[in-house]
Amino acid sequence: FVVIHQGLAEFPPFAFAALRFFLASVPLLLFFSWPAASLQTVAGYGLLIGVGQFGLMLYAMAGHISPGLASVLIQTQAFFTVGLAVLISGERLSPRNLLGLAICAAGVGLAMRHTGGETKTMGIMLVLGAAFAWGAANIVVRRAGAINAVALVVWSNLFAVIPLALASLLLEGPFAGLDAAMHASLPGWVTVLWQAFGNALFGY
């Protein structure tokens, strides 16, 4: 989140996200075959992670929420993942599970009470939306079964690029991303490369 915060100082949020997913996909497509999953699974995962999670989260972090609080709130994906697993897969929660979730919810609530001046209600709602998208993506990838995880990330990232680029074009202006790319510093580009390779490929 510190790296994202630094990157957003030089790149508009949707352009930053589009670059992240482009670099984590297109240059690597020749090295990984299509994963053993349906088009619906691969595209759905890419859209949920790329547009839903990172699109919303980066937009929120561009002036609507502090990086520290965003890093806490995005972890509510655990609640959404559990809730969706119960609704979709019929999983059952034990009393111990419920106690753990209650403690986590109390911690998130405590953090939200100390947001400081950098955080707006819109930022909180956007990050919660991002967390929901992440939780939904967890369900999608779990239902896919045992597949090549790197191939899934590489090919699914491709489906995030065009929607993010269109969002940048419509909301940030036709030349905002290009202008940022042309004038970004070396540390700015390092944040993009870290997001693409350290985060998107290695982390995920």
Side-chain angles (χ1 to χ4, degrees):
F1 286 84
V2 173
V3 172
I4 290 173
H5 184 62
Q6 291 299 116
L8 289 173
E10 300 196 41
F11 293 91
F14 290 116
F16 188 35
L19 280 171
R20 174 196 196 275
F21 285 93
F22 177 87
L23 292 173
S25 176
V26 175
L28 302 170
L29 292 178
L30 293 177
F31 300 97
F32 293 92
S33 59
W34 182 270
S38 67
L39 174 62
Q40 181 181 3
T41 295
V42 177
Y45 184 74
L47 291 171
L48 286 167
I49 290 292
V51 182
Q53 182 191 351
F54 276 89
L56 293 177
M57 187 177 70
L58 294 186
Y59 186 74
M61 290 180 65
H64 301 290
I65 194 169
S66 66
L69 184 57
S71 71
V72 173
L73 282 183
I74 195 65
Q75 299 308 326
T76 58
Q77 61 86 15
F79 301 112
F80 292 117
T81 301
V82 170
L84 290 169
V86 170
L87 290 174
I88 296 173
S89 303
E91 295 188 18
R92 295 185 177 183
L93 300 179
S94 68
R96 183 177 180 179
N97 297 147
L98 292 172
L99 176 61
L101 289 171
I103 293 171
C104 292
V108 171
L110 182 63
M112 288 177 65
R113 291 189 61 185
H114 298 81
T115 58
E118 296 180 68
T119 298
K120 304 172 185 176
T121 301
M122 178 182 177
I124 292 174
M125 299 307 296
L126 285 168
V127 175
L128 289 176
F132 176 82
W134 188 3
N138 288 338
I139 300 300
V140 169
V141 75
R142 181 180 181 182
R143 291 166 70 93
I147 58 176
N148 186 315
V150 181
L152 173 65
V153 169
V154 168
W155 281 96
S156 66
N157 284 347
L158 182 64
F159 292 91
V161 175
I162 292 178
L164 290 169
L166 285 175
S168 178
L169 179 69
L170 295 174
L171 300 175
E172 298 166 348
F175 303 109
L178 180 61
D179 185 64
M182 292 178 64
H183 295 93
S185 66
L186 178 60
W189 276 108
V190 168
T191 66
V192 174
L193 293 174
W194 170 256
Q195 282 296 296
F197 297 102
N199 190 339
L201 288 177
F202 183 77
Y204 271 73

